[in-house]
Amino acid sequence: MSAVSYSNQTSFTADGVLFDMDGTLTDSIAAVEAAWTAKANELGLEPDAVIKATHGRRASDNLMELVPGLRKEHVEREVEKFERSILAFADTPPESRKNSFASGRSSRSSQSSTNSASTRRSSLAPLTPVSHTPDVARHPAFQFSTSETLTLTSEKLVKETIVDESAIDDDDAEDIIDMSVRILPGVRKMINSLPDNKYAVATSGAKTYCHGCLNRTSINIPKVCVTADDSRLLRGKPFPDPFLLAAADLGIAPTRAVVFEDSPSGIKAGVASGATVIAVCTSHKREQIENLGAHFVVETMDQVKVDQLSDGQLQFTVAY
């Protein structure tokens, strides 16, 4: 594949970097959609509507709005269960979509290979209950509720879902769905260019999910990692609080930080924090995020280069 050339580039300096996680550093969209589909079916809601409404927001905020009668003192426990279910789906061996994700889930998965969240919203809209379980829930784990999914060990999932890839025709290759967590393009190089004390993660995911995704992609968990269940965090994205807290923990002014984000709610949070925001088109189409105030919009992190200067500042060069 030939390298893409860009006609323009801009350089600037900053004191540190604040990364969103999922959709920015890692891609676990298939596992996340599977978990929200399971939760939607458990609650009798339309999976598509739930998936569209939850992207980029804290699971605690989503569950409080989705689950009838959920008490505040039980939210942390439910978030832990839910996020463990995401990781359980992520660890499920790849399987044939024709045998498991026929119907709506199949079309969403195909779309995610380019810009998986092209129709997502960053705030919840009224959701319509359904009186039946849609065909979208054909993955073996979907027969269980979210909490029951947690009991499915990797060993059991292998026995129930593994597919003999040698028996799959070439024409069926594109119908294989892999829910594993992946590192996104340019991320490894970017992180390797940064001193450990110069970057942080500020995510809408709780600690279980955040650390689980980073570990699965061999990204070292940074010393500063602000997760959705941080007791100091009163508000999640699209409010700037996660980035403000991460900048403070890193010991830098938010106006001297660079924020990398992929979702509309996260981009809005970064802009509100006063940081320089670089939006990546890894989960949304460019036209969905280019008018939200980000200073730069790039296809992947490969378009951004960083060097540490002799005075400790970071010099960024963005090609576009």
PDB file of all heavy atoms in Angstrom, residues 21 29 33 37 43 52 59 93 109 125 132-133 136 141 161 184 199 222 226 233 247 251-252 286 295 297 313-314:
ATOM      1  N   MET A  21      -9.732   6.620  25.417  1.00  0.00           N
ATOM      2  CA  MET A  21      -9.266   5.255  25.189  1.00  0.00           C
ATOM      3  C   MET A  21      -9.978   4.584  24.023  1.00  0.00           C
ATOM      4  O   MET A  21      -9.459   4.520  22.921  1.00  0.00           O
ATOM      5  CB  MET A  21      -9.434   4.402  26.441  1.00  0.00           C
ATOM      6  CG  MET A  21      -8.786   3.023  26.301  1.00  0.00           C
ATOM      7  SD  MET A  21      -9.376   1.815  27.499  1.00  0.00           S
ATOM      8  CE  MET A  21     -11.088   1.602  27.040  1.00  0.00           C
ATOM      9  N   ILE A  29     -15.231  -1.939  19.465  1.00  0.00           N
ATOM     10  CA  ILE A  29     -16.605  -1.595  19.141  1.00  0.00           C
ATOM     11  C   ILE A  29     -17.502  -2.821  19.012  1.00  0.00           C
ATOM     12  O   ILE A  29     -18.661  -2.803  19.439  1.00  0.00           O
ATOM     13  CB  ILE A  29     -16.661  -0.738  17.850  1.00  0.00           C
ATOM     14  CG1 ILE A  29     -18.071  -0.188  17.618  1.00  0.00           C
ATOM     15  CG2 ILE A  29     -16.168  -1.516  16.646  1.00  0.00           C
ATOM     16  CD1 ILE A  29     -18.525   0.781  18.662  1.00  0.00           C
ATOM     17  N   GLU A  33     -20.769  -3.261  21.314  1.00  0.00           N
ATOM     18  CA  GLU A  33     -22.099  -3.386  20.730  1.00  0.00           C
ATOM     19  C   GLU A  33     -22.768  -4.688  21.162  1.00  0.00           C
ATOM     20  O   GLU A  33     -23.983  -4.735  21.385  1.00  0.00           O
ATOM     21  CB  GLU A  33     -22.012  -3.286  19.213  1.00  0.00           C
ATOM     22  CG  GLU A  33     -21.694  -1.891  18.719  1.00  0.00           C
ATOM     23  CD  GLU A  33     -21.903  -1.747  17.219  1.00  0.00           C
ATOM     24  OE1 GLU A  33     -22.205  -2.761  16.554  1.00  0.00           O
ATOM     25  OE2 GLU A  33     -21.782  -0.615  16.717  1.00  0.00           O
ATOM     26  N   THR A  37     -26.178  -4.801  23.187  1.00  0.00           N
ATOM     27  CA  THR A  37     -27.278  -5.579  22.613  1.00  0.00           C
ATOM     28  C   THR A  37     -27.847  -6.536  23.655  1.00  0.00           C
ATOM     29  O   THR A  37     -29.066  -6.672  23.797  1.00  0.00           O
ATOM     30  CB  THR A  37     -26.797  -6.371  21.383  1.00  0.00           C
ATOM     31  OG1 THR A  37     -26.396  -5.444  20.364  1.00  0.00           O
ATOM     32  CG2 THR A  37     -27.904  -7.251  20.823  1.00  0.00           C
ATOM     33  N   LEU A  43     -33.536  -5.702  28.861  1.00  0.00           N
ATOM     34  CA  LEU A  43     -34.462  -4.653  29.282  1.00  0.00           C
ATOM     35  C   LEU A  43     -35.673  -4.518  28.364  1.00  0.00           C
ATOM     36  O   LEU A  43     -36.564  -3.716  28.629  1.00  0.00           O
ATOM     37  CB  LEU A  43     -33.726  -3.313  29.345  1.00  0.00           C
ATOM     38  CG  LEU A  43     -32.571  -3.207  30.345  1.00  0.00           C
ATOM     39  CD1 LEU A  43     -31.824  -1.895  30.148  1.00  0.00           C
ATOM     40  CD2 LEU A  43     -33.104  -3.316  31.769  1.00  0.00           C
ATOM     41  N   LYS A  52     -26.828   3.328  19.609  1.00  0.00           N
ATOM     42  CA  LYS A  52     -26.661   4.691  19.111  1.00  0.00           C
ATOM     43  C   LYS A  52     -26.607   5.707  20.246  1.00  0.00           C
ATOM     44  O   LYS A  52     -25.904   6.713  20.166  1.00  0.00           O
ATOM     45  CB  LYS A  52     -27.810   5.049  18.170  1.00  0.00           C
ATOM     46  CG  LYS A  52     -27.775   4.320  16.835  1.00  0.00           C
ATOM     47  CD  LYS A  52     -28.999   4.670  16.012  1.00  0.00           C
ATOM     48  CE  LYS A  52     -29.032   3.881  14.702  1.00  0.00           C
ATOM     49  NZ  LYS A  52     -30.251   4.198  13.920  1.00  0.00           N
ATOM     50  N   ALA A  59     -20.752   4.439  31.266  1.00  0.00           N
ATOM     51  CA  ALA A  59     -21.731   3.369  31.448  1.00  0.00           C
ATOM     52  C   ALA A  59     -22.641   3.676  32.621  1.00  0.00           C
ATOM     53  O   ALA A  59     -23.826   3.332  32.600  1.00  0.00           O
ATOM     54  CB  ALA A  59     -21.010   2.037  31.665  1.00  0.00           C
ATOM     55  N   PRO A  93     -13.923 -16.358  20.872  1.00  0.00           N
ATOM     56  CA  PRO A  93     -13.252 -16.650  19.592  1.00  0.00           C
ATOM     57  C   PRO A  93     -14.084 -16.159  18.408  1.00  0.00           C
ATOM     58  O   PRO A  93     -15.314 -16.117  18.480  1.00  0.00           O
ATOM     59  CB  PRO A  93     -13.150 -18.183  19.589  1.00  0.00           C
ATOM     60  CG  PRO A  93     -13.242 -18.574  21.019  1.00  0.00           C
ATOM     61  CD  PRO A  93     -14.163 -17.573  21.659  1.00  0.00           C
ATOM     62  N   SER A 109     -21.860  -4.442  11.778  1.00  0.00           N
ATOM     63  CA  SER A 109     -20.471  -4.880  11.808  1.00  0.00           C
ATOM     64  C   SER A 109     -19.761  -4.543  10.511  1.00  0.00           C
ATOM     65  O   SER A 109     -18.605  -4.156  10.508  1.00  0.00           O
ATOM     66  CB  SER A 109     -20.394  -6.384  12.065  1.00  0.00           C
ATOM     67  OG  SER A 109     -20.918  -6.697  13.319  1.00  0.00           O
ATOM     68  N   ALA A 125     -31.799   9.387  23.704  1.00  0.00           N
ATOM     69  CA  ALA A 125     -33.124   9.764  23.226  1.00  0.00           C
ATOM     70  C   ALA A 125     -34.102   8.734  23.759  1.00  0.00           C
ATOM     71  O   ALA A 125     -33.709   7.662  24.197  1.00  0.00           O
ATOM     72  CB  ALA A 125     -33.146   9.787  21.704  1.00  0.00           C
ATOM     73  N   HIS A 132     -40.549  -8.505  22.116  1.00  0.00           N
ATOM     74  CA  HIS A 132     -39.952  -9.749  21.674  1.00  0.00           C
ATOM     75  C   HIS A 132     -38.441  -9.595  21.652  1.00  0.00           C
ATOM     76  O   HIS A 132     -37.921  -8.496  21.741  1.00  0.00           O
ATOM     77  CB  HIS A 132     -40.434 -10.109  20.272  1.00  0.00           C
ATOM     78  CG  HIS A 132     -40.025  -9.096  19.245  1.00  0.00           C
ATOM     79  ND1 HIS A 132     -40.644  -7.870  19.126  1.00  0.00           N
ATOM     80  CD2 HIS A 132     -39.044  -9.121  18.306  1.00  0.00           C
ATOM     81  CE1 HIS A 132     -40.075  -7.186  18.146  1.00  0.00           C
ATOM     82  NE2 HIS A 132     -39.099  -7.908  17.644  1.00  0.00           N
ATOM     83  N   THR A 133     -37.734 -10.677  21.521  1.00  0.00           N
ATOM     84  CA  THR A 133     -36.284 -10.633  21.410  1.00  0.00           C
ATOM     85  C   THR A 133     -35.920 -10.632  19.938  1.00  0.00           C
ATOM     86  O   THR A 133     -36.202 -11.588  19.230  1.00  0.00           O
ATOM     87  CB  THR A 133     -35.646 -11.861  22.082  1.00  0.00           C
ATOM     88  OG1 THR A 133     -36.031 -11.865  23.454  1.00  0.00           O
ATOM     89  CG2 THR A 133     -34.121 -11.793  21.968  1.00  0.00           C
ATOM     90  N   VAL A 136     -31.356 -10.049  16.171  1.00  0.00           N
ATOM     91  CA  VAL A 136     -30.000  -9.584  16.312  1.00  0.00           C
ATOM     92  C   VAL A 136     -29.270 -10.323  17.417  1.00  0.00           C
ATOM     93  O   VAL A 136     -28.056 -10.388  17.432  1.00  0.00           O
ATOM     94  CB  VAL A 136     -29.987  -8.060  16.592  1.00  0.00           C
ATOM     95  CG1 VAL A 136     -30.453  -7.779  17.999  1.00  0.00           C
ATOM     96  CG2 VAL A 136     -28.595  -7.477  16.358  1.00  0.00           C
ATOM     97  N   ALA A 141     -23.913 -16.082  23.642  1.00  0.00           N
ATOM     98  CA  ALA A 141     -23.945 -15.454  24.953  1.00  0.00           C
ATOM     99  C   ALA A 141     -25.170 -14.575  25.149  1.00  0.00           C
ATOM    100  O   ALA A 141     -25.498 -14.198  26.272  1.00  0.00           O
ATOM    101  CB  ALA A 141     -22.677 -14.620  25.166  1.00  0.00           C
ATOM    102  N   THR A 161     -18.586 -21.619  20.724  1.00  0.00           N
ATOM    103  CA  THR A 161     -18.593 -20.716  19.579  1.00  0.00           C
ATOM    104  C   THR A 161     -17.479 -20.918  18.573  1.00  0.00           C
ATOM    105  O   THR A 161     -17.505 -20.325  17.509  1.00  0.00           O
ATOM    106  CB  THR A 161     -18.520 -19.244  20.048  1.00  0.00           C
ATOM    107  OG1 THR A 161     -17.261 -19.047  20.717  1.00  0.00           O
ATOM    108  CG2 THR A 161     -19.644 -18.921  20.991  1.00  0.00           C
ATOM    109  N   LEU A 184      -5.289   0.760  17.596  1.00  0.00           N
ATOM    110  CA  LEU A 184      -5.591   1.499  16.370  1.00  0.00           C
ATOM    111  C   LEU A 184      -4.316   1.998  15.684  1.00  0.00           C
ATOM    112  O   LEU A 184      -3.252   2.103  16.319  1.00  0.00           O
ATOM    113  CB  LEU A 184      -6.528   2.663  16.695  1.00  0.00           C
ATOM    114  CG  LEU A 184      -7.976   2.219  16.966  1.00  0.00           C
ATOM    115  CD1 LEU A 184      -8.765   3.311  17.661  1.00  0.00           C
ATOM    116  CD2 LEU A 184      -8.669   1.810  15.666  1.00  0.00           C
ATOM    117  N   TYR A 199       1.953  11.865  29.380  1.00  0.00           N
ATOM    118  CA  TYR A 199       0.641  11.528  28.827  1.00  0.00           C
ATOM    119  C   TYR A 199      -0.228  10.826  29.856  1.00  0.00           C
ATOM    120  O   TYR A 199       0.255  10.235  30.820  1.00  0.00           O
ATOM    121  CB  TYR A 199       0.767  10.691  27.562  1.00  0.00           C
ATOM    122  CG  TYR A 199       1.215   9.259  27.754  1.00  0.00           C
ATOM    123  CD1 TYR A 199       0.281   8.223  27.874  1.00  0.00           C
ATOM    124  CD2 TYR A 199       2.572   8.934  27.795  1.00  0.00           C
ATOM    125  CE1 TYR A 199       0.694   6.912  28.031  1.00  0.00           C
ATOM    126  CE2 TYR A 199       2.987   7.627  27.945  1.00  0.00           C
ATOM    127  CZ  TYR A 199       2.048   6.622  28.065  1.00  0.00           C
ATOM    128  OH  TYR A 199       2.453   5.321  28.221  1.00  0.00           O
ATOM    129  N   PRO A 222      -0.955   3.982  31.862  1.00  0.00           N
ATOM    130  CA  PRO A 222      -0.171   5.147  32.292  1.00  0.00           C
ATOM    131  C   PRO A 222      -0.333   5.440  33.779  1.00  0.00           C
ATOM    132  O   PRO A 222      -1.283   4.995  34.417  1.00  0.00           O
ATOM    133  CB  PRO A 222      -0.757   6.282  31.439  1.00  0.00           C
ATOM    134  CG  PRO A 222      -2.131   5.838  31.087  1.00  0.00           C
ATOM    135  CD  PRO A 222      -2.067   4.346  30.968  1.00  0.00           C
ATOM    136  N   VAL A 226      -7.517   8.485  34.353  1.00  0.00           N
ATOM    137  CA  VAL A 226      -8.793   8.925  34.928  1.00  0.00           C
ATOM    138  C   VAL A 226      -9.913   8.127  34.285  1.00  0.00           C
ATOM    139  O   VAL A 226     -10.172   8.243  33.083  1.00  0.00           O
ATOM    140  CB  VAL A 226      -9.011  10.435  34.706  1.00  0.00           C
ATOM    141  CG1 VAL A 226     -10.390  10.856  35.220  1.00  0.00           C
ATOM    142  CG2 VAL A 226      -7.917  11.240  35.399  1.00  0.00           C
ATOM    143  N   LEU A 233     -14.607  12.431  40.241  1.00  0.00           N
ATOM    144  CA  LEU A 233     -15.236  12.869  38.998  1.00  0.00           C
ATOM    145  C   LEU A 233     -16.742  12.998  39.188  1.00  0.00           C
ATOM    146  O   LEU A 233     -17.440  12.010  39.375  1.00  0.00           O
ATOM    147  CB  LEU A 233     -14.928  11.854  37.900  1.00  0.00           C
ATOM    148  CG  LEU A 233     -15.132  12.279  36.443  1.00  0.00           C
ATOM    149  CD1 LEU A 233     -14.250  13.468  36.105  1.00  0.00           C
ATOM    150  CD2 LEU A 233     -14.822  11.110  35.530  1.00  0.00           C
ATOM    151  N   ALA A 247      -5.389  16.465  33.416  1.00  0.00           N
ATOM    152  CA  ALA A 247      -4.348  17.486  33.275  1.00  0.00           C
ATOM    153  C   ALA A 247      -3.782  17.868  34.640  1.00  0.00           C
ATOM    154  O   ALA A 247      -2.558  18.006  34.804  1.00  0.00           O
ATOM    155  CB  ALA A 247      -4.915  18.713  32.564  1.00  0.00           C
ATOM    156  N   GLY A 251      -0.023  17.414  36.119  1.00  0.00           N
ATOM    157  CA  GLY A 251       0.728  18.596  36.518  1.00  0.00           C
ATOM    158  C   GLY A 251       0.903  19.622  35.423  1.00  0.00           C
ATOM    159  O   GLY A 251       1.878  20.384  35.407  1.00  0.00           O
ATOM    160  N   ILE A 252      -0.066  19.663  34.496  1.00  0.00           N
ATOM    161  CA  ILE A 252       0.003  20.639  33.405  1.00  0.00           C
ATOM    162  C   ILE A 252      -1.296  21.425  33.331  1.00  0.00           C
ATOM    163  O   ILE A 252      -2.343  20.976  33.810  1.00  0.00           O
ATOM    164  CB  ILE A 252       0.274  19.965  32.049  1.00  0.00           C
ATOM    165  CG1 ILE A 252      -0.890  19.052  31.661  1.00  0.00           C
ATOM    166  CG2 ILE A 252       1.593  19.194  32.076  1.00  0.00           C
ATOM    167  CD1 ILE A 252      -0.769  18.455  30.265  1.00  0.00           C
ATOM    168  N   ARG A 286     -15.974  11.709   9.010  1.00  0.00           N
ATOM    169  CA  ARG A 286     -15.434  13.056   9.170  1.00  0.00           C
ATOM    170  C   ARG A 286     -16.538  14.112   9.300  1.00  0.00           C
ATOM    171  O   ARG A 286     -16.453  15.022  10.138  1.00  0.00           O
ATOM    172  CB  ARG A 286     -14.517  13.386   7.983  1.00  0.00           C
ATOM    173  CG  ARG A 286     -13.963  14.807   7.981  1.00  0.00           C
ATOM    174  CD  ARG A 286     -13.032  15.011   6.811  1.00  0.00           C
ATOM    175  NE  ARG A 286     -11.782  14.294   6.999  1.00  0.00           N
ATOM    176  CZ  ARG A 286     -10.702  14.824   7.561  1.00  0.00           C
ATOM    177  NH1 ARG A 286     -10.718  16.080   7.992  1.00  0.00           N
ATOM    178  NH2 ARG A 286      -9.596  14.115   7.671  1.00  0.00           N
ATOM    179  N   HIS A 295      -9.469  21.253  16.741  1.00  0.00           N
ATOM    180  CA  HIS A 295      -8.494  22.065  16.019  1.00  0.00           C
ATOM    181  C   HIS A 295      -7.977  21.349  14.776  1.00  0.00           C
ATOM    182  O   HIS A 295      -7.614  21.990  13.787  1.00  0.00           O
ATOM    183  CB  HIS A 295      -7.338  22.420  16.945  1.00  0.00           C
ATOM    184  CG  HIS A 295      -7.748  23.212  18.144  1.00  0.00           C
ATOM    185  ND1 HIS A 295      -8.337  22.635  19.250  1.00  0.00           N
ATOM    186  CD2 HIS A 295      -7.692  24.550  18.391  1.00  0.00           C
ATOM    187  CE1 HIS A 295      -8.602  23.574  20.146  1.00  0.00           C
ATOM    188  NE2 HIS A 295      -8.226  24.740  19.661  1.00  0.00           N
ATOM    189  N   VAL A 297      -8.644  17.521  12.415  1.00  0.00           N
ATOM    190  CA  VAL A 297      -9.366  16.263  12.193  1.00  0.00           C
ATOM    191  C   VAL A 297      -8.496  15.411  11.283  1.00  0.00           C
ATOM    192  O   VAL A 297      -8.169  15.828  10.170  1.00  0.00           O
ATOM    193  CB  VAL A 297     -10.750  16.484  11.554  1.00  0.00           C
ATOM    194  CG1 VAL A 297     -11.459  15.148  11.353  1.00  0.00           C
ATOM    195  CG2 VAL A 297     -11.605  17.405  12.423  1.00  0.00           C
ATOM    196  N   GLN A 313       9.374  20.454  26.333  1.00  0.00           N
ATOM    197  CA  GLN A 313       8.120  20.620  25.621  1.00  0.00           C
ATOM    198  C   GLN A 313       7.988  19.555  24.533  1.00  0.00           C
ATOM    199  O   GLN A 313       8.978  19.007  24.045  1.00  0.00           O
ATOM    200  CB  GLN A 313       8.023  21.995  24.991  1.00  0.00           C
ATOM    201  CG  GLN A 313       7.897  23.147  25.952  1.00  0.00           C
ATOM    202  CD  GLN A 313       7.650  24.449  25.207  1.00  0.00           C
ATOM    203  OE1 GLN A 313       6.511  24.860  24.989  1.00  0.00           O
ATOM    204  NE2 GLN A 313       8.738  25.111  24.802  1.00  0.00           N
ATOM    205  N   LEU A 314       6.745  19.292  24.160  1.00  0.00           N
ATOM    206  CA  LEU A 314       6.458  18.351  23.080  1.00  0.00           C
ATOM    207  C   LEU A 314       6.113  19.141  21.828  1.00  0.00           C
ATOM    208  O   LEU A 314       5.247  20.029  21.864  1.00  0.00           O
ATOM    209  CB  LEU A 314       5.303  17.441  23.458  1.00  0.00           C
ATOM    210  CG  LEU A 314       5.475  16.587  24.706  1.00  0.00           C
ATOM    211  CD1 LEU A 314       4.172  15.836  25.023  1.00  0.00           C
ATOM    212  CD2 LEU A 314       6.626  15.603  24.554  1.00  0.00           C
TER     213      LEU A 314
END
